[in-house]
Amino acid sequence: DEQDQLAACLNKHGAVLGIREHMAAKASSYSSALQDLPTLQLGNNQFSNIEMLYRQAEILITDYSSCFIDFMLTGKPQICFAYDLQSYAQSERGLFYDLETVFPGPICQEFSSLLQALDGALSNDTSTLDPGYAFKRKIFFDFIDDSNAARVVQHVKAEFLESVSA
């Protein structure tokens, strides 16, 4: 039933769900479970660098993956599907960050809230955007421009000139 609801939501918006299993996952459980839905396989074999996919993706749905941090640079909506949050946080691997503090979007623990968040994001409903998105992005990034390489060069030159003059 949940797969049918997800397929209906994707079809309603003319959307396709890109699936990228965790690099350590060998079972391909998401790919197998969702194979009859409008999906694209975006695994390591097809795209070795996930960052290439961020520009084309309109929304990120993730669980506890740190990929949400890099995706923040796009400013696009994100949804956390944390269906096993208590178990994961307390007994499995644990969390590096408090999700409520750092995740820039809804944290859905039930499928119904995931579906609602996805439908809102695909509808371009701006009320679904996290008003703290910019603040949360600032937790991880000092700069959100395209000048990091120039800053590195400038820093290296300054260090070099300082060492020469010393």
Side-chain angles (χ1 to χ4, degrees):
D1 186 47
E2 290 177 349
Q3 289 180 5
D4 291 342
Q5 292 176 55
L6 179 57
C9 180
L10 294 170
N11 289 327
K12 171 184 170 184
H13 297 286
V16 175
L17 183 66
I19 299 175
R20 186 177 180 95
E21 305 275 355
H22 188 277
M23 61 185 150
K26 302 297 182 210
S28 299
S29 57
Y30 290 114
S31 299
S32 298
L34 303 174
Q35 67 185 355
D36 295 329
L37 275 66
T39 61
L40 287 173
Q41 298 305 314
L42 303 174
N44 287 329
N45 292 338
Q46 295 87 353
F47 298 92
S48 58
N49 296 313
I50 191 173
E51 295 81 7
M52 294 174 51
L53 302 172
Y54 294 155
R55 284 186 182 183
Q56 297 304 314
E58 292 299 321
I59 301 163
L60 177 72
I61 302 174
T62 187
D63 52 8
Y64 313 105
S65 173
S66 62
C67 69
F68 84 88
I69 296 170
D70 289 339
F71 195 79
M72 272 197 221
L73 289 173
T74 68
K76 297 175 186 177
Q78 298 191 45
I79 302 167
C80 177
F81 188 35
Y83 61 90
D84 61 347
L85 180 59
Q86 296 308 319
S87 169
Y88 190 91
Q90 294 173 358
S91 60
E92 193 171 326
R93 296 175 72 189
L95 299 169
F96 290 116
Y97 309 102
D98 174 59
L99 281 179
E100 292 289 335
T101 302
V102 300
F103 193 81
I107 300 167
C108 306
Q109 293 187 47
E110 297 86 28
F111 177 77
S112 60
S113 59
L114 167 68
L115 195 62
Q116 181 179 2
L118 180 60
D119 186 55
L122 290 171
S123 298
N124 294 317
D125 180 357
T126 56
S127 71
T128 63
L129 291 177
D130 185 339
Y133 200 112
F135 171 78
K136 292 174 180 183
R137 186 166 45 186
K138 192 74 173 148
I139 292 171
F140 296 102
F141 300 101
D142 289 329
F143 304 100
I144 57 170
D145 58 21
D146 61 354
S147 300
N148 283 332
R151 280 188 281 277
V152 170
V153 169
Q154 183 179 14
H155 180 75
V156 170
K157 282 182 179 180
E159 291 289 320
F160 174 76
L161 291 175
E162 186 178 308
S163 69
V164 171
S165 65

